[in-house]
Amino acid sequence: MPNYDVLSDLLTIFTVSIAVVFVFHQIRLPSIAGFLAAGALIGPYGLNLVSDLRQVTVLAEIGVVLLLFTIGIEFSLAHLAASRGLLLVGGPLQVASVLLLVTVGGLLIGLPYRQAIFWGCLLSLSSTAIVLKALAGRGESDSLHGRATIGILIFQDLAVVPMMLLTPILATAAEDVMVDVVLALAKSVVLVGVIVAAAWFLVPKLLEHIVRSRSRELFLLTIIVLCLGIAWLTSLSGLSLALGAFIAGLVISESEYSHQAMAEVLPFRDSFNSLFFVSIGMLMDVRVVLAHPMLVVALVGAILVGKFITAVGPVLALGYPPRAAVLAGIALAQVGEFGFILAQEGKEVGLLTGEPYQVFLAVSVLTMVVTPFLIQWSPKLARRAEAFQRLHQWFPGQTTAHVTSLSTHHLRIKDHVIVVGYGLNGRNLARVLEETEIPYVVLELDGDTV
């Protein structure tokens, strides 16, 4: 007789999620927080309604892959090139700052230096899935702080690879393993380069032939195979599936069929992505919070404040205005899902075992739970930063490249396009006008969007 446990688990997850998210929507709370709460409710530490957590986790991973794939399509190579300062400077500064801060703090409380460094690696990563979902839901992926946040998140995802290679080294006393690390990194870079080059050469021609068939089903299957296939091939080089999916999205973003690909994938992304947030909520062990309430609250507060500060500094140093820096700092203030993967690796090699592992899970999930609320309230906090806008002149950089002031009353523009509203259609139109070098001005009443 067939085993329908997976179907039963999915039915339970979606049914409870509908009820919880509906209640959260009625009281105007973010849907992501609803999915996390639903996971905590039905998980092994709650009502234990789900029998096979592993299969749910696999489906949740597909949701993260599809999310990064669509972000890659929206981001494009032009955006990636424009964010090179964040990838080469801002991201490394943010990760290094958290790593240094946590390592010093760990040494002060008596942790061995190897464990202190490992905790620094764990806490330096932010949640790509939650932050990108929140930004996309608010229509801020293409905003100033959205680009800054995404640029740093991409570097963090790249940094997972050397961190995974570093973890067994920290657990052993071997001194000749650095050569193995360098060789593994070089292998990853070469393999990814070959995959991307091949995809760039083959994908446009493949999509052109597929579109000529005029079959929507065939086009959808091709997009899904390209997304999962490039992600899988990239994972063989040691990188994450999610980062491979982002690369696949970048490849397709350069084709003229990128918008159609986005429209086809969105329903699947949203369905699978909700499973990811529910699976994260299932990790929440309320007993750990009840056993060590003061410790958990103190750690959550320290992580939120510390990561906020270490994210604001690099963004300001790159010439972004204080408002954008504050919004990016709030968005990056949690612990990321890749931290769970790294923690599992640390658990297997003995760097993070027993109660510290459960404390890390509880603290990490709590920082994820509060993130949607912080992002929702962040514009109000960022407005306070505007009062200190004059301090931004002490941070030289690329301000004029990001923000152009049109305060003069003698501005004269002619033969231009006026875009009324900077929503989804307004952003797409502005992107087309910019690529075709047609001058334009955007009118927008929403202060947060401006």
Side-chain angles (χ1 to χ4, degrees), residues 16-350:
V16 175
S17 297
I18 289 173
V20 175
V21 172
F22 177 78
V23 172
F24 273 56
H25 179 73
Q26 293 298 107
I27 57 179
R28 297 184 178 182
L29 295 178
S31 60
I32 298 177
F35 286 122
L36 292 169
L41 181 64
I42 65 180
Y45 304 110
L47 300 178
N48 196 22
L49 300 179
V50 176
S51 58
D52 194 343
L53 187 57
R54 285 189 176 183
Q55 295 199 32
V56 173
T57 304
V58 172
L59 294 174
E61 183 71 19
I62 296 176
V64 178
V65 166
L66 293 176
L67 175 65
L68 268 293
F69 177 67
T70 54
I71 292 299
I73 293 178
E74 289 181 326
F75 209 64
S76 80
L77 286 177
H79 285 169
L80 196 61
S83 303
R84 59 185 179 274
L86 290 161
L87 289 172
L88 300 177
V89 180
L93 277 177
Q94 187 270 337
V95 172
S97 299
V98 176
L99 188 58
L100 178 62
L101 186 65
V102 175
T103 301
V104 172
L107 293 174
L108 290 177
I109 63 174
L111 284 179
Y113 80 94
R114 294 175 184 269
Q115 290 187 13
I117 294 174
F118 181 70
W119 273 94
C121 293
L122 289 176
L123 301 183
S124 65
L125 304 172
S126 301
S127 176
T128 304
I130 288 180
V131 174
L132 294 186
K133 175 69 173 178
L135 290 176
R138 295 172 60 86
E140 296 175 350
S141 298
D142 202 33
S143 64
L144 197 60
H145 68 275
R147 294 183 184 183
T149 303
I150 292 173
I152 293 177
L153 286 172
I154 292 172
F155 176 82
Q156 290 182 357
D157 291 347
L158 290 170
V160 172
V161 180
M163 288 180 183
M164 291 291 287
L165 296 172
L166 182 65
T167 299
I169 297 173
L170 292 175
T172 61
E175 299 179 356
D176 57 347
V177 291
M178 287 306 297
V179 176
D180 296 334
V181 173
V182 173
L183 289 176
L185 285 174
K187 176 184 175 183
S188 299
V189 171
V190 171
L191 287 176
V192 170
V194 171
I195 293 169
V196 172
W200 249 293
F201 178 74
L202 297 175
V203 167
K205 295 181 179 180
L206 175 63
L207 289 180
E208 184 177 349
H209 288 291
I210 294 297
V211 170
R212 286 178 182 174
S213 70
R214 298 182 181 275
S215 172
R216 181 178 179 181
E217 293 83 0
L218 186 58
F219 181 81
L220 173 59
L221 287 175
T222 304
I223 293 299
I224 292 177
V225 168
L226 287 173
C227 169
L228 299 180
I230 295 177
W232 177 70
L233 289 174
T234 307
S235 69
L236 296 180
S237 66
L239 297 173
S240 66
L241 280 171
L243 188 59
F246 178 79
I247 294 173
L250 284 179
V251 171
I252 294 179
S253 72
E254 299 305 306
S255 75
E256 56 186 350
Y257 310 110
S258 59
H259 294 292
Q260 181 63 26
M262 171 76 80
E264 298 288 354
V265 171
L266 277 178
F268 296 94
R269 182 199 72 176
D270 293 338
S271 300
F272 282 101
N273 205 34
S274 61
L275 285 174
F276 167 76
F277 299 115
V278 173
S279 67
I280 292 298
M282 290 179 181
L283 295 174
M284 181 68 179
D285 189 351
V286 182
R287 294 173 299 179
V288 174
V289 180
L290 296 177
H292 309 282
M294 298 303 297
L295 174 63
V296 171
V297 171
L299 287 175
V300 169
I303 290 171
L304 293 176
V305 174
K307 296 200 69 174
F308 170 77
I309 294 173
T310 54
V312 168
V315 176
L316 281 176
L318 286 171
Y320 284 77
R323 174 184 171 82
V326 169
L327 291 173
I330 293 173
L332 294 167
Q334 75 294 127
V335 180
E337 57 275 358
F338 289 127
F340 298 130
I341 301 174
L342 193 61
Q344 186 65 34
E345 182 73 15
K347 182 180 179 182
E348 292 178 359
V349 298

Side-chain angles (χ1 to χ4, degrees), residues 379-398:
K380 296 180 181 179
L381 300 175
R383 289 192 188 101
R384 299 181 180 273
E386 292 177 335
F388 301 95
Q389 183 76 31
R390 61 182 181 274
L391 295 179
H392 189 51
Q393 63 186 345
W394 297 103
F395 297 94
Q398 306 167 354

